[in-house]
């Protein structure tokens, strides 16, 4: 499944009302660590079924970043049944992200 870009306009439909867990990558184009994490997130999106993978550009969607209290990027947020269940800040190895998804 491809990565979905999240905005205020599609957040409710794609995240809050999702019937599968949602992994959100909060990032910015100027962020070096974000560019390191992005290919890992893309791999997970292409390899895993039963999960939705999304990205939020914090420069374009500052309200969403504020709603999730994103203080540093990259930040990953795991949403299940419309509720935040886990977060991770910084670049992490793929296996650590997969472990987060399987909790």
């Amino acid at each position: 499944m491809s990565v979905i870009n999240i905005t205020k306009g599609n957040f409710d439909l794609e995240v809050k009302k999702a019937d599968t867990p949602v992994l959100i990558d909060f990032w910015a184009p100027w962020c070096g660590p974000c560019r390191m994490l992005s290919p890992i997130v893309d791999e997970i999106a292409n390899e895993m079924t039963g999960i939705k993978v999304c990205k939020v550009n914090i420069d374009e969607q500052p309200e969403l970043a504020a709603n999730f209290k994103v203080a540093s990027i990259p930040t990953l947020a795991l949403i299940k049944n419309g509720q935040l269940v886990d977060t991770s800040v910084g670049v992490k190895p793929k296996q650590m992200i997969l472990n987060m998804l399987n909790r």
Side-chain angles (χ1 to χ4, degrees), residues 12-88:
D12 282 350
L13 175 66
E14 297 292 351
V15 178
K16 283 214 167 223
K17 296 178 181 176
D19 55 359
T20 60
V22 180
L23 178 68
I24 304 174
D25 176 15
F26 289 91
W27 70 284
W30 47 263
C31 168
C34 297
R35 289 193 300 269
M36 293 169 56
L37 184 64
S38 185
I40 298 169
V41 172
D42 293 345
E43 272 183 38
I44 291 170
N46 290 326
E47 295 172 1
M48 289 195 68
T49 58
I51 186 163
K52 188 182 286 193
V53 179
C54 304
K55 293 188 180 187
V56 173
N57 181 331
I58 66 161
D59 288 340
E60 295 174 356
Q61 302 298 321
E63 287 180 35
L64 287 178
N67 289 347
F68 280 85
K69 298 177 176 50
V70 173
S72 297
I73 54 172
T75 292
L76 297 176
L78 180 61
I79 313 297
K80 291 184 179 178
N81 300 316
Q83 300 296 316
L84 178 66
V85 295
D86 203 357
T87 60
S88 172

